[in-house]
Each structure stands twice: as C-alpha cells, then as structure tokens.
Amino acid sequence: MLNELFSKLRQAFRRGGGRPDFVSVLLPFLIIVAALGALAWRSYVLSVKMEHGATTIAEQYAGYAAEITARRIDAAVRAEMTLASDEWQQMERQLGNPTTAGLRDWVAKHEWIVAAMYLPDYDAENSLFVGEPSANAKGQLRLDREFYTSTGTVGYTYDPHLLLAAVNDAARRPPLVQNESSAPLTIQQQADISLVYKPVEGVEKLDDGFSFVSSLAAPLSSFGVRAVVRTVYVGGKGWQNQRVMSLWVSLLALVLTGIGALLAFRGMKKEAETMSLRGALIANVSHELRTPLSMIRLGAETLKLGRLKEKERKDIEDQILREVLLLSHLVENVLDVARMQNHSERALAFTPVGPRELVRSLIATYESWIESRGFTVSLDLDETVAEQMWDRDAVSRALLNLIDNAIKYSGEEKKAIEVVLRQTSEHVILEVKDHGIGIGAEDVARIFDPYYRAQFSDTITRRGAGLGLTLVQQIVSSHGGRTEVESTIGEGSTFRLLFPRTSEMAAPLPAIHQPREAF
C-alpha cells in the first residue's frame, strides 16, 4: 500500500514538471509527525496502565507493610513476655525461695513492668509485693498478666507504652530490606510506618497516597500499625505523573521536528533563491560579454578593410579600447564572485597610492563609457589628502562598482554623478552621490548581502545579480575600513567608503580648493 502511494506521488511530481524540493522535507516531516503521534498515544496508554497497576501495587503494599509490621510487633511482645517469665524461673532455681529483693531486681530489669506480686503455693501469707498494683472497679488487686512457676504464681501489671518502647526495633524495621548477599536486586522501604491508638482497621485513600491500618494482637489490641504509601512513588501529580511526562515529551519532539522542518524549508528556499540569482548572474555576464565582444569584432572587421579616414579610425580604436576596459571590469568582478563563492580571499597588493590621482585616472579611463550611458561625473577632491597604502586595483574596482550602480539605478532624468574625496582626522572618505530612484529603508540594511537586490518595479529588467556592493564592502573591509549609505526614495543615494588614514608618505600639497570638474 505504501509503495502504491509513493509511486502515485512520484508520478504526480513528474507531471507537475521540475523537482518539488519542498516535498523532500514535507513528506518525511508528515511521516515523522504521524510516527510521533502514534508513539505519544501508545506512551499515554501505557502510562495509564502502568499508573493503574502501580496504584494497585501501592495499595497492596500498604496493607502488606501494616500486616507484616503488626505481626512482627506481636511476636516481639510475646518474646519479651516469655523472656521475663524464663528469667524469673531461672532466678527461682538459683535462689530457692524468692525474696522481695529478687522480685525487685526482676522488675527493675524489665522497665515495662510497673508492679509485680509473688504468691507461693505453700504459704499465701508470705506473698511478695513490688510497686503499687492498681485496683479494678470492685477494689480488687488488678494484675494484667500471670504465669505459674514451680513454687507459686507470679502476676504483674505492665505499661503498654513502655512495652512498645521495648520492642521499638521490631516496629522500626522496614517490611522489605536490602539483601546483604550478592543478589543484584535492591529493595528499599517505600512505606511510612507509625503506631496508632484505638485503630480502625482497613484501607483509606489519601490525597497523596494510601493508608492501611492493622490492629495488634492481645495484650496490645488497643494499638494498631498504620502504613502509608505516597503516590510520589507511583506517579503523583504534575511532572511526576507519567502521563503528563509522556505528553510533554511527545509535544517537545513535535515542536523540535517542526522547527527542523521550518529551518530546512528556509534553507531550501534560500538555496533556490541563490541558484536563481546565480543563473541570473550567468545570464547577465553572458549578455554583458556578448555586447562588447560584438562591438570589438565589428570594429576589428572595419579596421581590417582599411578604407577609413583618420577620425573614423580613431573613433573605432577608442570604442574598442572602451569595450576592452568594460570587459576587463566584468572579468575582474566574475573572478571576485568566484573567490567569494569558494570562500577564498584575493591577496591585496598594498602600495602608496595618491587618492586624487586614482579618482581622476579612473574617471578619465571610463569617461567615454560613462558618457555613452548619458551621464557625466562631477569631482570634488580635497587636495590635502596625502598618499595612502591601498590596493590600487581593488579600490578602483570598488569606486567603479559604485559609479556603475549609480548609472544603473538612476531615473529617466540623468543628472551628474558626484564623486567626493575628503578626509577627517581618522579616515579618508570616498563618496559617490547620485540623484536616482533611491533605496528603501527596509532594503538599506541588506543591500551588502550576497545576491540581494533591492526590490523595485523593474528589478528584473535591470542587469546585475546583487554582488557589486558585496564586493565593495569586502574591499573596504580588507583595508580596515567600513561602508556607509544614506538614501531617500526618489531623491538618490550616497555611498560612503571610509578608509583608515595611514601615515603621510609625502608632504601634502597646499590647501587649494579645487573647483568641481565635469566629465
């Protein structure tokens, strides 16, 4: 039956086209949930049965503990009274005729005896008394127990409480004790034993367990043994209840499984987005490479004909050079993307670099490309900025990526892009300002993430794969700096690269304000 179900699911997936990756997590998750549900129900049923059985055992154990303790106390009482009788008869054989001193010593030896009287068979008038025997309702001398000896009769009155104290060890001994042999089973006492006066025999259900009372035999029939077994040993309430534990553990397992499935779904969704963006990167790179290669090929074929005027030839050469520079920029970005995906860093070559000369050289090199997009660049360079220890190619590529982004995300009105170079006491700052469509506040925090692209109505039609700003941030971070961005929807964006200042390598130029230059 399961095989048929799986085959139908596979057929449905094939008809739907593509591989539904979510099913690879959803189906196992549903199976695990069903299995955990069955285990939880089975655990609950077994817990109920176990608790019922344990409750029955607890009730029986309370009765057993009370009965066995009562019989043990009865036996100890009989043994104590028999021992007193044997000691008196042994004293008679040693002394011959009992004396008051002997009777007194015998009573003192057994503290539970309050008073005693010896009545000889041959002469009742020579009876011996010790203590103060009590009288019954008719005024007659009351003796609780008596026994016969070879020469007479001994009667005595005892205190039940003192007698119970004499057999205290028997009352305190647990009904079950650990076996002193090498047996692996260890049994511990689980019942609370106590003595009660005028007991009511039988079992009683308590809030937290069971109580069973068993009366003692004569002469202590006015006392009983009470054994209490607490339900903490058989389930109890709250977290000590097996049913509650099984349900909570099952619920926790379901929650953890759900969290795992959710994380798997998120990971798969992220992976799908990454794969889609990688595909978009390949498509964009292919498109970007095709156009300049076509222009280079066309220019080369035109030059090969050799029938061109000097101005025409120079224009074609400039166009070929411009396209070669663009190809070089694209190739460097692709290499950086490959390094990023392989988690390897590009070794930077730090050399003394003049920031002003770097900016002017970059703008001059890509001037024709920028103008071909319909833009100009306005420069505002602080002439007091001294040479810095930078990787020239990396910083140039970061600045070019920002200019490329400014062109890409500008509106229909193509205003000048502003490049500003200035410094503070701690940083040398490169700023690129545009007057484009701007970036929303919810996107600003993520635009430096790999493959992330801010959401616009025409995001799909704009070339790019969301890696340019990631590369910019990595380049600045490798120089020990940081990136900042300020943006307003509909007004434009300002990207700021803050490089830490290095020691001045040459005397700074005079502080002459350089007017804005237009390219």
Side-chain angles (χ1 to χ4, degrees), residues 42-61:
R42 184 60 179 168
S43 176
Y44 179 81
V45 172
L46 292 177
S47 298
V48 171
K49 291 182 178 180
M50 183 186 70
E51 185 173 341
H52 177 71
T55 301
T56 303
I57 293 175
E59 183 179 351
Q60 294 175 350
Y61 181 74

Side-chain angles (χ1 to χ4, degrees), residues 11 34-35 93 101:
Q11 293 174 1
R93 289 192 293 268

Side-chain angles (χ1 to χ4, degrees), residues 85-110:
S85 175
D86 293 343
E87 289 180 352
W88 174 263
Q89 295 184 25
Q90 184 178 2
M91 186 183 64
E92 274 192 356
R93 289 192 293 268
Q94 292 176 354
L95 298 177
N97 293 325
T99 63
T100 301
L103 182 60
R104 184 178 295 107
D105 292 340
W106 180 74
V107 170
K109 190 174 182 181
H110 302 281

Side-chain angles (χ1 to χ4, degrees), residues 269-283 451 465:
K269 182 180 178 181
K270 186 67 175 179
E271 182 66 20
E273 292 176 354
T274 302
M275 295 300 296
S276 175
L277 290 172
R278 287 177 181 175
L281 173 64
I282 295 174
Y451 300 109

Side-chain angles (χ1 to χ4, degrees), residues 22-242:
F22 72 93
V23 177
S24 62
V25 174
L26 180 60
L27 187 59
F29 172 71
L30 293 177
I31 294 175
I32 293 174
V33 168
L36 287 176
L39 288 175
W41 173 251
R42 184 60 179 168
S43 176
Y44 179 81
V45 172
L46 292 177
S47 298
V48 171
K49 291 182 178 180
M50 183 186 70
E51 185 173 341
H52 177 71
T55 301
T56 303
I57 293 175
E59 183 179 351
Q60 294 175 350
Y61 181 74
Y64 164 78
E67 291 285 350
I68 197 69
T69 304
R71 302 294 79 80
R72 186 179 294 157
I73 293 175
D74 290 339
V77 169
R78 290 192 297 269
E80 183 69 19
M81 290 183 172
T82 301
L83 177 62
S85 175
D86 293 343
E87 289 180 352
W88 174 263
Q89 295 184 25
Q90 184 178 2
M91 186 183 64
E92 274 192 356
R93 289 192 293 268
Q94 292 176 354
L95 298 177
N97 293 325
T99 63
T100 301
L103 182 60
R104 184 178 295 107
D105 292 340
W106 180 74
V107 170
K109 190 174 182 181
H110 302 281
E111 296 180 354
W112 49 274
I113 299 177
V114 177
M117 180 184 70
Y118 171 69
L119 181 63
D121 293 337
Y122 59 88
D123 187 5
E125 294 181 356
N126 292 327
S127 299
L128 304 178
F129 293 93
V130 173
E132 298 180 357
S134 60
N136 56 22
K138 297 180 180 181
Q140 299 175 347
L141 183 65
R142 183 179 69 85
L143 297 174
D144 297 326
R145 302 284 292 182
E146 63 179 13
F147 58 88
Y148 299 100
T149 67
S150 59
T151 61
T153 303
V154 177
Y156 58 87
T157 301
Y158 64 91
D159 187 333
H161 296 282
L162 295 178
L163 179 57
L164 286 174
V167 298
N168 182 57
D169 292 339
R172 289 182 177 274
R173 191 183 309 165
L176 297 177
V177 295
Q178 180 177 353
N179 192 347
E180 297 296 337
S181 65
S182 59
L185 179 63
T186 300
I187 303 176
Q188 298 179 349
Q189 180 185 7
Q190 303 291 353
D192 298 328
I193 305 296
S194 61
L195 294 174
V196 294
Y197 183 67
K198 293 183 179 180
V200 178
E201 288 190 308
V203 64
E204 179 185 0
K205 180 68 174 69
L206 306 177
D207 292 338
D208 59 346
F210 295 92
S211 170
F212 192 92
V213 178
S214 178
S215 298
L216 297 177
L220 299 178
S221 55
S222 59
F223 291 88
V225 175
R226 184 172 185 259
V228 178
V229 176
R230 308 293 178 182
T231 53
V232 67
Y233 303 119
V234 295
K237 299 179 181 179
W239 288 102
Q240 295 174 339
N241 188 286
Q242 287 77 11

Side-chain angles (χ1 to χ4, degrees), residues 192-490:
D192 298 328
I193 305 296
S194 61
L195 294 174
V196 294
Y197 183 67
K198 293 183 179 180
V200 178
E201 288 190 308
V203 64
E204 179 185 0
K205 180 68 174 69
L206 306 177
D207 292 338
D208 59 346
F210 295 92
S211 170
F212 192 92
V213 178
S214 178
S215 298
L216 297 177
L220 299 178
S221 55
S222 59
F223 291 88
V225 175
R226 184 172 185 259
V228 178
V229 176
R230 308 293 178 182
T231 53
V232 67
Y233 303 119
V234 295
K237 299 179 181 179
W239 288 102
Q240 295 174 339
N241 188 286
Q242 287 77 11
R243 288 177 295 172
V244 176
M245 284 296 297
S246 63
L247 290 176
W248 276 107
V249 170
S250 301
L251 180 61
L252 178 61
L254 287 174
V255 171
L256 293 178
T257 305
I259 293 175
L262 178 61
L263 294 178
F265 276 123
R266 291 183 60 184
M268 291 170 58
K269 182 180 178 181
K270 186 67 175 179
E271 182 66 20
E273 292 176 354
T274 302
M275 295 300 296
S276 175
L277 290 172
R278 287 177 181 175
L281 173 64
I282 295 174
N284 288 328
V285 169
S286 300
H287 174 73
E288 294 290 338
L289 290 176
R290 185 183 299 113
T291 301
L293 285 175
S294 299
M295 297 298 296
I296 292 172
R297 179 181 176 181
L298 179 61
E301 291 176 349
T302 304
L303 289 175
K304 187 177 180 180
L305 295 176
R307 299 176 182 178
L308 299 174
K309 297 179 180 180
E310 182 65 21
K311 184 178 184 307
E312 294 176 343
R313 185 180 61 80
K314 188 175 183 305
D315 290 342
I316 293 177
E317 290 175 350
D318 290 341
Q319 184 180 17
I320 292 176
L321 179 60
R322 182 170 63 248
E323 299 300 335
V324 168
L325 290 174
L326 178 59
L327 282 176
S328 175
H329 173 61
L330 289 174
V331 170
E332 288 295 334
N333 277 347
V334 171
L335 291 176
D336 285 338
V337 170
R339 295 188 189 100
M340 184 191 308
Q341 292 178 345
N342 294 327
H343 303 285
S344 62
E345 296 182 357
R346 178 179 181 271
L348 300 181
F350 291 94
T351 58
V353 175
R356 302 183 305 280
E357 184 270 333
L358 181 148
V359 174
R360 290 195 180 99
S361 175
L362 178 70
I363 299 302
T365 302
Y366 288 92
E367 178 182 3
S368 60
W369 171 72
I370 295 172
E371 291 179 348
S372 68
R373 299 296 191 274
F375 291 88
T376 59
V377 176
S378 172
L379 297 182
D380 184 5
L381 309 180
D382 185 351
E383 295 296 333
T384 63
V385 179
E387 288 186 333
Q388 303 294 315
M389 293 299 294
W390 287 353
D391 184 305
R392 183 185 187 89
D393 292 338
V395 176
S396 298
R397 191 157 57 256
L399 180 59
L400 184 58
N401 276 333
L402 292 181
I403 296 174
D404 185 33
N405 263 20
I407 294 173
K408 188 187 307 180
Y409 292 100
S410 290
E412 296 184 1
E413 184 180 356
K414 299 180 179 181
K415 297 183 179 180
I417 299 171
E418 301 178 23
V419 177
V420 178
L421 173 65
R422 57 188 177 88
Q423 66 180 356
T424 64
S425 60
E426 298 180 354
H427 296 95
V428 173
I429 303 173
L430 273 174
E431 292 182 357
V432 176
K433 301 180 181 179
D434 65 67
H435 303 278
I437 58 180
I439 306 172
E442 65 278 3
D443 292 317
V444 169
R446 298 190 58 192
I447 56 176
F448 293 101
D449 295 343
Y451 300 109
Y452 182 80
R453 301 183 69 191
Q455 300 301 311
F456 303 107
S457 59
D458 57 349
T459 297
I460 298 178
T461 60
R462 296 178 187 269
R463 61 184 177 85
L467 288 169
L469 292 179
T470 304
L471 296 175
V472 170
Q473 187 182 53
Q474 288 189 347
I475 290 172
V476 177
S477 297
S478 65
H479 284 74
R482 69 177 190 274
T483 57
E484 295 179 353
V485 59
E486 297 176 1
S487 185
T488 304
I489 294 292

